[in-house]
Amino acid sequence: MKENISIKLTTNKLRLQECIDFVQDNSCGGIATFVGTVRNHTKGKEVKQLEFSAYTSMAIKELQKIAEQALDEFDILKIAIHHAEGLLQIGEVPVIIAVSSVHRGASFKACEYAIDTLKETVPIWKKEYFKDGEVWVNAHP
Amino acid sequence: MKENISIKLTTNKLRLQECIDFVQDNSCGGIATFVGTVRNHTKGKEVKQLEFSAYTSMAIKELQKIAEQALDEFDILKIAIHHAEGLLQIGEVPVIIAVSSVHRGASFKACEYAIDTLKETVPIWKKEYFKDGEVWVNAHP
Amino acid sequence: MNIKTLFFGVTRDIIGEGSAIFDLNEDLTIADFQNILTKNYSGLTDIKSFAVAVNEEYVTEDYKIQENDIIAIIPPVSGG
Amino acid sequence: MNIKTLFFGVTRDIIGEGSAIFDLNEDLTIADFQNILTKNYSGLTDIKSFAVAVNEEYVTEDYKIQENDIIAIIPPVSGG
């Protein structure tokens, strides 16, 4: 793994400060982050909890690709992408992305690129648990 | 101050987790943040430390206006804008902005809008200290 | 040849297990394999719209399956 | 009338203090006041390009200064 990329897919609680500390650099002028949180509703139904499962080995490769593409495409210094696996409660954090850059515009663009791409390409699946059952999100497009 | 706005201008150390906790909401799907950091160089010169001074009462009003405009203009839930005053060392944090929303695009846009506008309108001034002197940033446009 | 196939998300629930071994003829494409799967598992009606990875990389449906390939059926992802 | 004026950033360094009281005639605009300041302080050459606030709100240079106004000279800001 490159020195300017931190990738994690873990059943432990994600820690924002760890991502910030990783991307922080004395030559950086700003850090953009995205912190996903578990919403308590979806399409009007109350969500009780979520479960994330992954094709772990491939998911890590795809996360790594996103980080490398972000470094290629945007003028950024470092990037951290951490994603949770397993059961998450409302308000808990499934994903954290942090990006540092000398000039802030690049961090924002790279951060949004990373979360948008993650949601399209990384083999991770979310199951929503309702009072009356559970459903794989997006399973039937 | 409204319940969905947190404004601070303080000589204390800024805390990201405090901003996250403020904007976090069980109905939010994501939080975008911007964390400013003190760069160790500017135009090729090494910066030793920074000092922020403010027209405090007006600065707080202007920060409040930015937060209100962001809530008006973007589909966001809550916003926190915290800015530091006084001496800061390299790597320390002069500004934190955190924005929550149901859908993440709005958070990114509002966060970038807030930092861009802050840098244009809020009466806060940064002095850079070099080995051989000090200078007010942007003083002579 | 025996080809290991991995199932995830909704597909795993339909198949009832996370992986299976299929004895496939040579020269089959991913599209051919998808047809075999839909014949064997009536619940896999959406599989034609699902992505497929071979050895942890996405492939297109004209990819020719080779000895020792590990195939993964990737229903629409929903991470983040 | 006596008008309190606040100086910040580079302007404070040029003036040598953070505030001053000026005895102004009635009906002066901000533009008039800027001319008075440049006459009194030779270092304030850039003041015409600086923003001005009255009672903590930005005003344009045609604003007419009134009794009890507190004026603030706002050199280019550099927060964030």
Side-chain angles (χ1 to χ4, degrees), chain D:
Chain D
M1 57 191 179
N2 285 330
I3 295 293
K4 185 174 183 183
T5 304
L6 308 176
F7 300 103
F8 296 96
V10 67
T11 315
R12 176 180 304 200
D13 287 359
I14 292 167
I15 304 285
E17 51 198 341
S19 70
I21 307 285
F22 295 87
D23 185 11
L24 301 182
N25 297 331
E26 310 263 323
D27 288 330
L28 287 183
T29 63
I30 292 295
D32 297 329
F33 183 51
Q34 286 173 322
N35 289 331
I36 293 170
L37 285 176
T38 43
K39 269 176 211 156
N40 281 293
Y41 301 95
S42 59
L44 288 181
T45 45
D46 291 331
I47 199 171
K48 275 287 187 183
S49 71
F50 290 0
V52 176
V54 174
N55 305 326
E56 304 177 356
E57 298 284 344
Y58 287 109
V59 295
T60 52
E61 63 169 22
D62 56 359
Y63 174 88
K64 281 230 169 72
I65 298 167
Q66 291 158 47
E67 189 89 49
N68 297 320
D69 277 352
I70 295 177
I71 298 178
I73 306 300
I74 312 277
V77 302
S78 48

Side-chain angles (χ1 to χ4, degrees), chain A residues 13-85:
Chain A
K13 204 174 147 86
L14 302 186
R15 297 195 312 110
L16 178 57
Q17 196 59 49
E18 180 184 329
C19 295
I20 295 277
D21 290 345
F22 178 83
V23 301
Q24 160 76 54
D25 186 294
N26 283 347
S27 66
C28 97
I31 297 168
T33 78
F34 177 76
V35 178
T37 53
V38 175
R39 248 192 309 230
N40 63 358
H41 66 275
T42 185
K43 291 168 191 156
K45 284 188 78 171
E46 190 189 347
V47 177
K48 294 295 184 188
Q49 59 179 16
L50 287 189
E51 186 174 5
F52 286 91
S53 61
Y55 181 8
T56 307
S57 54
M58 181 174 167
I60 288 171
K61 279 189 186 177
E62 290 291 324
L63 290 170
Q64 180 76 18
K65 276 184 203 167
I66 292 171
E68 286 169 7
Q69 284 158 4
L71 283 161
D72 277 353
E73 200 160 324
F74 305 99
D75 191 14
I76 62 175
L77 295 166
K78 296 183 186 173
I79 180 166
I81 311 180
H82 292 190
H83 201 292
E85 278 191 271

Side-chain angles (χ1 to χ4, degrees), chain B residues 89-125:
Chain B
Q89 306 305 313
I90 304 304
E92 290 192 322
V93 173
V95 63
I96 298 176
I97 298 173
V99 183
S100 61
S101 59
V102 175
H103 300 290
R104 69 186 181 281
S107 286
F108 277 112
K109 285 196 190 74
C111 194
E112 198 164 8
Y113 167 82
I115 182 64
D116 288 351
T117 310
L118 183 157
K119 283 172 181 271
E120 281 172 13
T121 66
V122 181
I124 298 176
W125 297 271

Side-chain angles (χ1 to χ4, degrees), chain B residues 6-8 14-15 18-19 80-84 94-97:
Chain B
S6 169
I7 300 295
K8 265 196 185 179
L14 303 186
R15 297 193 313 109
E18 181 183 330
C19 295
I81 311 180
H82 292 191
H83 201 293
V95 63
I96 298 176
I97 298 173

